[in-house]
């Protein structure tokens, strides 16, 4: 063929992708590959697999409609070797390209593989930077160089200055960088979040869903509630609906949890962002425009923009700065297997079962559920980081390692020993009770720390603090719980620790 073989992976579905820059429609070929290895290296939720394959098929069709030559390898192609390496090798044999052009992938495992292709295939392989982020990896490295602590808040301020988002000259809009103090409200009974828009699966998506049901029906998760945008057009509808209907109250209820309200005022835009159907810059600009037009308050808009301009860019920079070692960190020496109820949603704890149940039904849980419910439980129980990483990577439709790993190892379970957070996000039942209404209807008593009806988060919390008391002693941010621990009656502590051990033994993983 003489031209270039240009690769587009399942989370690179952006027309402006660097691998497509300079494409010559007469000579070049774009390759998309549906492969079993990517669907099963962890048992991805069926909705996640369906989302990615459906979005890939729609993207291929859009490129073809623009006159671009596309080869789309389908999962049920009998010749499919079912790995990226195998499919790139097969395409190279078929087309003899002069070179292969790829965009930097979102996972260390895939980058390692790509870096071996030039030698293995005898064809030059160019891996271009992924320009869809607001902070390049070199810029992040420069920001991180020589800093003792890599705190998100300082990175975020730099990003505000660099992009000019929510800035009034050199000053942050509204006179402060962060309005989180206003963003910790419970959801009142008379506030009902509007339902997100529906995206009925078209024939392409329905065909993919049938394929996924047949091949991956044994994976955790239901396909029935599938409602993810699979095209840029649908993602733009989702973005507009969020801006109009939910952004104004995003800040107020950002940390809230409520029975029967799976999505609250959250945007549900992470899948579209992570697949490349939307770009972070356009999403932040749209939110800023809502504030400047007086349609959304600053606490909501700043809180939302911080998640994308701050957290999302920061975790990506951190992932590539710290990999591959980051994945193996286990600062708290956690060794336990994942309790079986992460797969059944039957722990008896209402907050856990709500988070896990909606994860099964929607491949979605919002941030506080991921961090302060399932993540907090794994932290307190001392679940091994590999098991936590695998669960989060598998069960959420938006999970790709560059964003999932720092959030689990760094934020949720403190496996990185404080690279991301200056103290573990450990909490007892009181936090969950303050932020939501699960506890009032739970069979466990959130006010009790011992006895058969005690909330497991309470005794697990104190077992955790006691287990790590020596390790946490030098950390001034842990002074308060450690001082309470020291004043605690030994018999009470012993009872709580005994109950923690019993509870975890009762919920050992399925063999
Ligand atoms: P919103 O609450 O509406 O937030 C807006 C956007 O901000 C999101 O779409 C997302 O792109 C971005 N964002 C918000 N918080 C974060 C964050 N901490 N890190 C990076 N981006 C953020 N997010 C993923 O995209 N993929 C993951 O695999 C993932 N795993 C997580 C695991 C744990 C343990 C925790 C605590 C968080 C994880 N997050 C992950 C971050 C966050 O929970 C999700 O981005 C968010 O819940 C997605 O829902 P939303 O689009 O409605 O978000
Ligand atoms: C997650 C995923 C799945 C389930 N399937 C595919 C696929 O068949 N083809 C593909 O190109 N990408 C898939 N992906 C996304 C990849 O795993 C992702 O591109 C890499 O992990 C790099 O982020």
């Amino acid at each position: 063929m003489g031209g270039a073989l240009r690769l587009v992976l399942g989370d690179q579905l952006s027309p402006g992708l660097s691998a497509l820059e300079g494409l010559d429609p007469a000579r070049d070929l774009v390759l998309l590959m549906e492969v079993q290895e990517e669907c099963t290296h962890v048992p991805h939720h069926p909705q996640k697999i369906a989302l990615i394959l459906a979005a890939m098929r729609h993207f291929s069709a859009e490129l073809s409609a623009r006159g671009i030559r596309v080869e789309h390898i389908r999962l049920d192609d009998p010749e499919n070797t079912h790995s990226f390496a195998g499919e790139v090798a097969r395409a190279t044999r078929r087309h003899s390209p002069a070179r292969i052009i790829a965009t930097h992938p979102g996972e260390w495992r895939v980058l390692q593989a790509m870096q071996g292709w030039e030698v293995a295939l005898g064809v030059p392989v160019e891996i271009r930077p992924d320009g869809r982020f607001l902070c390049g990896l070199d810029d992040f490295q420069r920001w991180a160089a020589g800093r003792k602590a890599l705190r998100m808040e300082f990175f975020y301020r730099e990003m505000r200055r660099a992009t000019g988002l929510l800035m009034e000259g050199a000053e942050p809009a509204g006179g402060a960088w962060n309005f989180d103090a206003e963003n910790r409200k419970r959801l009142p009974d008379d506030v009902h979040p509007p339902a997100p828009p529906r995206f009925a699966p078209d024939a392409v998506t329905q065909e993919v869903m049938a394929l996924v049901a047949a091949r991956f029906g044994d994976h955790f998760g239901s396909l029935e509630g599938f409602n993810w945008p699979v095209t840029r057009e649908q993602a733009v509808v989702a973005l507009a609906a969020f801006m109009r209907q939910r952004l104004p109250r995003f800040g107020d209820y950002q940390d809230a949890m409520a029975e029967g309200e799976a999505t609250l005022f959250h945007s549900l835009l992470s899948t579209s962002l992570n697949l490349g159907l939307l770009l972070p810059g356009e999403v932040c600009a749209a939110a800023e425009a809502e504030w400047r037009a007086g349609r959304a308050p600053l606490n909501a808009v700043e809180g939302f923009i911080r998640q994308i301009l701050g957290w999302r860019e920061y975790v990506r920079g951190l992932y590539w700065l710290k990999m591959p070692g980051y994945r193996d960190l286990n600062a708290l020496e956690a060794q336990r297997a994942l309790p079986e109820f992460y797969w059944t949603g039957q722990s008896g704890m209402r907050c856990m079962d709500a988070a896990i149940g909606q994860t099964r039904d929607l491949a979605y849980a919002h941030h506080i559920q991921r961090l302060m419910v399932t993540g907090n439980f794994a932290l307190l129980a001392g679940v091994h980081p590999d098991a936590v990483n695998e669960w989060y990577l598998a069960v959420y439709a938006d999970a790709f390692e560059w964003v999932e790993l720092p959030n689990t190892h760094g934020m949720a379970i403190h496996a990185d020993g404080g690279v991301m957070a200056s103290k573990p996000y450990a909490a007892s039942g009181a936090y969950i009770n303050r932020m939501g209404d699960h506890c009032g209807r739970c069979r466990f008593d959130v006010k009790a720390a011992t006895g058969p009806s005690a909330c497991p988060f309470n005794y697990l919390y104190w077992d955790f603090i006691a287990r790590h008391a020596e390790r946490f002693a030098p950390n001034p941010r842990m002074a308060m719980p450690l001082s309470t621990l020291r004043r605690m009656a030994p018999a009470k502590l012993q009872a709580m620790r005994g109950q923690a051990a019993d509870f975890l033994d009762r919920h050992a993983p399925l063999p």
Side-chain angles (χ1 to χ4, degrees):
M1 118 186 163
L5 180 67
R6 295 170 180 267
L7 310 184
V8 175
L9 306 186
D11 52 355
Q12 298 183 337
L13 308 179
S14 316
L17 190 74
S18 58
L20 300 177
E21 274 168 28
L23 181 141
D24 176 352
R27 290 157 55 88
D28 294 353
L29 178 73
V30 176
L31 179 70
L32 285 96
M33 306 159 271
E34 299 176 7
V35 293
Q36 188 97 1
E37 188 175 81
E38 293 307 305
C39 304
T40 54
H41 73 98
V42 297
H44 291 296
H45 194 296
Q47 285 194 33
K48 178 182 184 183
I49 303 176
L51 162 67
I52 292 169
L53 301 192
M56 287 173 71
R57 290 186 184 189
H58 282 97
F59 188 71
S60 283
E62 285 160 22
L63 291 181
S64 300
R66 286 171 40 206
I68 295 171
R69 280 206 306 148
V70 178
E71 193 162 83
H72 187 115
I73 306 300
R74 292 164 66 110
L75 201 65
D76 48 9
D77 179 340
E79 307 289 308
N80 194 329
T81 57
H82 289 298
S83 72
F84 286 152
E87 284 315 290
V88 173
R90 217 158 59 88
T92 303
R93 282 197 297 276
R94 267 195 313 274
H95 302 291
S96 306
R99 57 191 179 131
I100 296 172
I101 303 177
T103 290
H104 193 289
E107 204 172 320
W108 179 266
R109 169 186 65 91
V110 179
L111 180 65
Q112 289 292 99
M114 265 185 189
Q115 286 170 338
W117 291 347
E118 182 156 323
V119 170
L121 302 174
V123 180
V125 177
E126 184 188 349
I127 303 174
R128 296 179 173 174
D130 189 342
R132 299 173 302 162
F133 289 87
L134 295 164
C135 179
L137 296 180
D138 291 348
D139 290 333
F140 190 87
Q141 264 181 19
R142 267 192 292 278
W143 173 78
R147 278 174 196 267
K148 269 220 301 249
L150 301 179
R151 296 290 168 248
M152 194 290 293
E153 189 60 34
F154 298 110
F155 168 78
Y156 168 59
R157 291 179 193 182
E158 291 289 310
M159 290 299 290
R160 290 271 296 274
R161 290 192 187 96
T163 58
L165 279 162
L166 291 184
M167 296 298 290
E168 307 282 11
E171 297 303 315
W177 293 104
N178 179 319
F179 297 88
D180 256 359
E182 297 171 39
N183 290 355
R184 298 196 184 108
K185 298 188 179 71
R186 272 171 75 101
L187 188 75
D189 289 342
D190 59 349
V191 174
H192 302 290
R198 304 282 322 158
F199 299 105
D202 65 4
V204 172
T205 305
Q206 281 178 28
E207 189 188 357
V208 166
M209 287 170 73
L211 180 71
V212 170
R215 292 201 174 213
F216 309 108
D218 58 334
H219 290 195
F220 167 86
S222 144
L223 256 179
E224 266 159 45
F226 186 93
N227 189 40
W228 296 106
V230 294
T231 61
R232 158 102 188 147
E233 201 183 325
Q234 290 183 337
V236 168
V237 170
L239 174 65
F242 170 69
M243 291 294 151
R244 252 191 341 269
Q245 298 164 357
R246 304 198 298 287
L247 175 65
R249 295 211 255 187
F250 173 87
D252 288 353
Y253 306 117
Q254 195 180 339
D255 287 358
M257 290 179 271
E259 293 259 326
E261 296 289 354
T263 55
L264 292 157
F265 289 91
H266 292 276
S267 69
L268 307 183
L269 293 177
S270 53
T271 58
S272 298
L273 281 162
N274 295 350
L275 264 57
L277 304 178
L278 294 174
L279 296 178
E282 68 179 325
V283 175
C284 291
E288 175 169 20
E290 292 301 297
W291 171 65
R292 295 214 181 265
R295 289 191 292 265
L298 190 54
N299 71 305
V301 172
E302 186 284 315
F304 179 73
I305 287 180
R306 178 159 23 96
Q307 306 312 312
I308 296 175
L309 179 65
W311 281 111
R312 186 170 186 273
E313 296 290 328
Y314 166 82
V315 298
R316 181 199 180 231
L318 198 81
Y319 175 81
W320 288 107
L321 186 73
K322 297 287 179 188
M323 279 297 278
Y326 196 78
R327 216 190 137 135
D328 299 326
L329 297 177
N330 186 2
L332 299 182
E333 298 173 74
Q335 296 301 339
R336 191 170 289 278
L338 196 72
E340 99 288 351
F341 50 69
Y342 276 78
W343 302 111
T344 63
Q346 289 177 358
S347 71
M349 292 172 276
R350 234 170 140 110
C351 56
M352 283 289 281
D353 295 349
I356 296 165
Q358 73 171 71
T359 299
R360 181 191 56 227
D361 296 343
L362 306 173
Y364 177 85
H366 61 72
H367 187 67
I368 289 300
Q369 293 177 304
R370 296 189 206 193
L371 182 63
M372 300 310 295
V373 180
T374 46
N376 183 30
F377 189 94
L379 168 73
L380 302 184
V383 178
H384 193 284
D386 288 348
V388 180
N389 177 36
E390 178 171 330
W391 188 78
Y392 278 94
L393 190 57
V395 303
Y396 290 112
D398 59 19
F400 297 90
E401 200 178 75
W402 65 266
V403 52
E404 172 274 336
L405 189 70
N407 270 298
T408 51
H409 282 33
M411 273 188 108
I413 59 168
H414 211 68
D416 70 2
V419 174
M420 265 181 83
S422 54
K423 76 177 188 63
Y425 278 91
S428 67
Y431 175 89
I432 294 167
N433 194 26
R434 196 160 56 246
M435 296 316 303
D437 59 0
H438 295 302
C439 301
R441 302 171 207 193
C442 186
R443 72 172 225 234
F444 293 110
D445 178 0
V446 70
K447 303 269 190 257
T450 53
S453 64
C455 168
F457 275 99
N458 292 339
Y459 47 74
L460 287 167
Y461 175 80
W462 287 110
D463 179 58
F464 171 78
I465 299 292
R467 202 159 75 237
H468 296 294
E470 226 173 279
R471 193 191 307 271
F472 294 154
N475 184 342
R477 298 204 61 204
M478 295 303 285
M480 210 141 76
L482 289 175
S483 139
T484 309
L485 182 77
R486 276 192 297 275
R487 284 182 277 111
M488 199 174 275
K492 182 176 176 189
L493 180 61
Q494 200 185 0
M496 287 194 288
R497 299 201 68 180
Q499 239 181 303
D502 285 351
F503 182 85
L504 293 172
D505 286 348
R506 262 203 322 279
H507 292 286
L510 301 169

